Amino acid sequence: MQKELAELLFPNIMKTPEDYEAMYPERNLEKGAIVTRFAPSPTGFVHMGSLYQAFIASKMARQTNGVFYLRIEDTDQKREVENGITGIINDLKSFDFKIDEGPLQGGVYGPYIQSERVEIYQTYVKDLIKRGLAYPCFCTEKELAELRNRQEREKVRIGYYGMYAMNRNLTFDEIKAKLDAGLPYVIRLKSPGDFHKTINFHDCIKGNISFPENDMDIILLKQDGVPTYHFAHAIDDHLMRTTHVIRGDEWVSSVPVHLQLFEVLGFTPPKYAHIAPLTKREGTSVRKLSKRKDPDASIRFYHEKGIPHDAVKLFLATLANANFEMWYNQNKDKTLDDFAFQFQKMPVGGTYFDLEKLNSVSRIYFSMLKANNLYDGTLTYYQEYDQDFAQIIEKNKEKTIALLNIEREVKRPRKDLASYSDVKHEFENFYDEIFLNKDPESAYSGLENDKNYDVSLVEQYLNIYQDTDSKEEWMERLKGLAQDNGYAREVKQYKENPEEYKGHVGDVCETIRACVTGKKMSPDLYEILKILGKESLAKRIDHFKKYLED
Ligand code: GLU
């Protein structure tokens, strides 16, 4: 009778599970290779939370010579948007995640879009029905609501299970009559589980976990014949030969359902690794990173700020394995690919998504870029976000590279940039066409209205400026200038007898720095002066005077 029922419900399904088993054989990979996937709905973009999951999954696959594939889970039509798949693929590509198989790449375990796999799901459902492990359920919304009310009244667990599973034991004739009447139905699992028994499993990240067995007759196929997440997960991850299901930990409580599905389907279950969510602090409470509330949850945010994707990935790496950061600081010449991530070291609870931390990681990243590469990235960024500035740096290419190269490619490089958007802020004053066109107050706003400078020091310096000076010669010149003006040649000298001097050579430097950069702090002054040259210095002195006179 079950066989008859299966035929009645799925007359067009001709294949059998064996056919698919043969079509999608075990993968021939080296021992320990992780086959895993990123399985988003086609929402058109990837946000930080799912990017973090994709990062971990792709990394685990890559470092074990495994496979990282993309599967589009579009069984929930409500979440679908136009270009939903290409948007996701573009986002992943922009982060340089190599997708081994997927909707665009293809692959022998496809199709990789769930809506194109309906025949596969139905084949397995047909087989479950044949084996008496699934059945059609005609319950209406109203009946299910009534069941719920009854269970609430009786103070029992809510759900479609055991004695409450009203359609579990319909006879063939009853089913046939309902079908003939054209009633809509879903297909449910006839759960063999016992809620009073415990199921134990090992999560690669969270360790050993126990739950009651599942006894809910969960829905396998919805009324439109499309599978639920649970059923599609079991079928797809089995047939795509996933070794590790790496996903968000909102799914951890579904594992009993999933293991039961693997069991009734006769599949070996994969290993599970449930990733703790990225979180934000809001006042005293902690909440999940939110697409709606947090601008920094979107990839666009990083693009607009000019935080390169490689820096974002380094940041995600520090979140994924806390020991990564120390390793990276000690091995600055190495890349992410050289670090082996471990599930056991991944956080088991909410992971604080801290932009301060991102900035500090990004500073290290920027400090290690070669000036040429930094120039290229900077130009690309400003071509998109500030064409005027892009034109200026393009016109002054050599100068810009020289400026960007100050205190770079040395043992302890400067860490003044956390993003491309910082470049303008840090460097714009070095271009005469910007600095001299600002009104003096705003050009020198970095001095915070401090007008206590002796501009004659800079004027005298202009007279003795030599662009061929070595750093030592330059310093000697400044010391002489200091001495001639009643400042100590050395700081030490000044500290011993402060009353004898107006200040020390450092103060002379600060005066020149203020005049030239409009700021109290700057990269190496000797280098700056060399790059700006005498002519620019002269113009800046006039500008400085106007600021001081005001
Ligand atoms: N489509 C599911 C989600 O977006 C995927 C979960 C999984 O990786 O299995 O949450």
Side-chain angles (χ1 to χ4, degrees):
M1 178 211 107
Q2 280 151 358
K3 200 156 174 266
E4 234 174 295
L5 176 61
E7 289 306 332
L8 183 66
L9 292 168
F10 296 100
N12 300 324
I13 295 293
M14 303 300 174
K15 289 209 176 71
T16 65
E18 289 70 35
D19 294 329
Y20 288 114
E21 294 298 323
M23 256 171 87
Y24 304 112
E26 293 273 355
R27 291 171 185 264
N28 193 5
L29 294 169
E30 56 193 74
K31 198 165 172 284
I34 289 181
V35 178
T36 190
R37 75 297 190 278
F38 177 50
S41 309
T43 51
F45 62 91
V46 179
H47 67 90
M48 260 310 132
S50 46
L51 188 78
Y52 177 56
Q53 292 171 18
F55 169 76
I56 291 176
S58 81
K59 198 70 194 71
M60 296 313 281
R62 200 64 57 228
Q63 73 187 31
T64 56
N65 293 327
V67 175
F68 173 65
Y69 70 86
L70 174 67
R71 182 171 72 225
I72 298 295
E73 307 215 324
D74 60 346
T75 57
D76 182 357
Q77 312 285 328
K78 284 185 286 250
R79 300 181 65 186
E80 200 151 341
V81 300
E82 210 185 324
N83 298 327
I85 300 178
T86 44
I88 285 178
I89 293 177
N90 290 342
D91 279 352
L92 292 178
K93 279 205 182 139
S94 75
F95 278 87
D96 230 6
F97 291 149
K98 188 171 164 287
I99 304 169
D100 297 312
E101 299 165 16
L104 293 190
Q105 292 76 3
V108 294
Y109 290 86
Y112 296 90
I113 301 180
Q114 287 184 329
S115 56
E116 294 171 15
R117 300 172 62 80
V118 170
E119 193 184 343
I120 306 179
Y121 307 120
Q122 295 193 351
T123 303
Y124 280 87
V125 163
K126 184 173 181 180
D127 185 63
L128 287 177
I129 293 174
K130 258 191 216 164
R131 296 193 283 126
L133 291 165
Y135 62 91
C137 168
F138 299 87
C139 287
T140 59
E141 289 289 331
K142 187 159 167 274
E143 283 169 314
L144 293 174
E146 279 165 9
L147 172 64
R148 195 188 168 90
N149 290 338
R150 178 181 154 201
Q151 288 171 329
E152 273 169 5
R153 271 198 316 277
E154 292 178 4
K155 296 200 169 34
V156 293
R157 272 186 305 129
I158 307 290
Y160 203 88
Y161 60 95
M163 60 181 278
Y164 300 103
M166 297 163 292
N167 280 189
R168 203 178 219 228
N169 298 312
L170 293 181
T171 64
F172 181 82
D173 291 337
E174 283 169 330
I175 293 172
K176 180 131 195 337
K178 288 180 190 288
L179 289 175
D180 289 343
L183 298 184
Y185 62 93
V186 299
I187 304 287
R188 286 184 186 272
L189 172 72
K190 193 179 274 185
S191 171
D194 178 347
F195 183 74
H196 299 104
K197 288 193 186 147
T198 300
I199 164 166
N200 304 307
F201 65 94
H202 180 80
D203 185 275
C204 300
I205 296 173
K206 294 183 184 283
N208 293 333
I209 301 183
S210 309
F211 276 114
E213 272 185 19
N214 173 58
D215 65 349
M216 298 283 163
D217 283 2
I218 59 145
I219 297 175
L220 304 178
L221 289 188
K222 297 181 262 190
Q223 284 185 352
D224 53 4
V226 169
T228 52
Y229 166 74
H230 305 300
F231 190 59
H233 151 53
I235 301 295
D236 292 346
D237 281 312
H238 168 69
L239 290 180
M240 295 178 176
R241 307 293 172 175
T242 306
T243 62
H244 290 67
V245 169
I246 302 174
R247 63 185 176 187
D249 73 358
E250 67 272 24
W251 294 110
V252 75
S253 59
S254 301
V255 173
V257 171
H258 299 162
L259 290 177
Q260 188 173 65
L261 287 172
F262 278 87
E263 192 182 319
V264 297
L265 289 160
F267 303 159
T268 309
K271 292 199 166 74
Y272 286 100
H274 287 96
I275 299 174
L278 300 177
T279 57
K280 282 265 173 185
R281 295 199 188 117
E282 201 171 52
T284 50
S285 59
V286 173
R287 59 164 176 79
K288 269 195 187 187
L289 186 69
S290 146
K291 272 177 273 187
R292 253 181 325 105
K293 290 191 195 161
D294 303 310
D296 47 331
S298 105
I299 286 177
R300 193 85 219 135
F301 174 85
Y302 302 89
H303 199 74
E304 284 168 5
K305 274 200 90 139
I307 299 178
H309 290 179
D310 281 343
V312 175
K313 272 163 56 173
L314 289 174
F315 170 56
L316 295 180
T318 65
L319 301 181
N321 266 191
N323 56 330
F324 172 77
E325 197 176 358
M326 196 156 88
W327 174 88
Y328 185 58
N329 280 326
Q330 289 166 354
N331 297 279
K332 295 217 173 85
D333 52 329
K334 300 242 164 74
T335 71
L336 259 179
D337 293 337
D338 300 310
F339 184 81
F341 286 83
Q342 287 173 280
F343 283 127
Q344 301 91 301
K345 292 215 160 79
M346 290 179 193
V348 294
T351 308
Y352 182 40
F353 189 77
D354 181 2
L355 280 189
E356 282 303 309
K357 181 64 173 284
L358 168 62
N359 276 335
S360 78
V361 174
S362 192
R363 278 180 206 287
I364 298 177
Y365 171 83
F366 270 97
S367 74
M368 282 158 56
L369 287 181
K370 297 247 185 289
N372 275 321
N373 297 340
L374 177 56
Y375 172 81
D376 291 343
T378 303
L379 183 61
T380 309
Y381 173 78
Y382 286 100
Q383 276 168 341
E384 183 168 358
Y385 291 105
D386 184 341
Q387 276 109 28
D388 291 345
F389 190 60
Q391 268 178 15
I392 288 173
I393 62 173
E394 208 172 4
K395 208 174 87 206
N396 295 284
K397 181 170 176 182
E398 294 310 316
K399 173 177 168 176
T400 305
I401 294 177
L403 286 166
L404 292 172
N405 204 32
I406 301 177
E407 293 176 71
R408 182 169 293 280
E409 296 181 39
V410 291
K411 195 151 178 279
R412 287 175 170 276
R414 254 183 103 73
K415 298 204 176 65
D416 48 357
L417 302 174
S419 66
Y420 286 117
S421 54
D422 289 345
V423 172
K424 185 171 179 198
H425 183 255
E426 293 296 323
F427 290 92
E428 67 173 352
N429 280 2
F430 297 132
Y431 302 94
D432 289 352
E433 50 269 70
I434 297 179
F435 190 63
L436 301 176
N437 280 326
K438 288 185 185 174
D439 71 74
E441 279 307 318
S442 87
Y444 288 95
S445 60
L447 302 182
E448 290 157 4
N449 223 15
D450 181 356
K451 303 211 171 180
N452 204 8
Y453 292 99
D454 178 2
V455 70
S456 80
L457 289 171
V458 203
E459 286 173 320
Q460 293 171 59
Y461 172 70
L462 180 68
N463 291 331
I464 54 173
Y465 176 94
Q466 281 294 338
D467 63 0
T468 50
D469 272 354
S470 70
K471 191 156 189 183
E472 290 68 32
E473 288 163 343
W474 174 75
M475 202 60 221
E476 269 314 304
R477 233 179 259 285
L478 287 187
K479 284 181 180 172
L481 183 63
Q483 196 169 8
D484 294 348
N485 286 276
Y487 291 78
R489 287 176 67 90
E490 311 283 343
V491 181
K492 195 164 151 263
Q493 210 179 4
Y494 169 77
K495 282 201 176 142
E496 280 164 8
N497 289 307
E499 62 290 344
E500 277 185 29
Y501 302 101
K502 286 197 215 157
H504 54 73
V505 64
D507 300 316
V508 177
C509 282
E510 291 324 305
T511 305
I512 302 173
R513 185 193 311 282
C515 167
V516 164
T517 69
K519 293 180 184 174
K520 295 204 171 211
M521 281 199 296
S522 78
D524 187 272
L525 186 61
Y526 163 74
E527 300 282 349
I528 292 174
L529 290 166
K530 229 176 140 90
I531 296 168
L532 291 182
K534 195 163 182 171
E535 209 181 306
S536 173
L537 178 59
K539 291 183 195 152
R540 284 163 193 252
I541 292 174
D542 287 341
H543 214 38
F544 194 41
K545 278 186 180 161
K546 285 189 204 124
Y547 162 73
L548 295 177
E549 280 160 14
D550 252 0

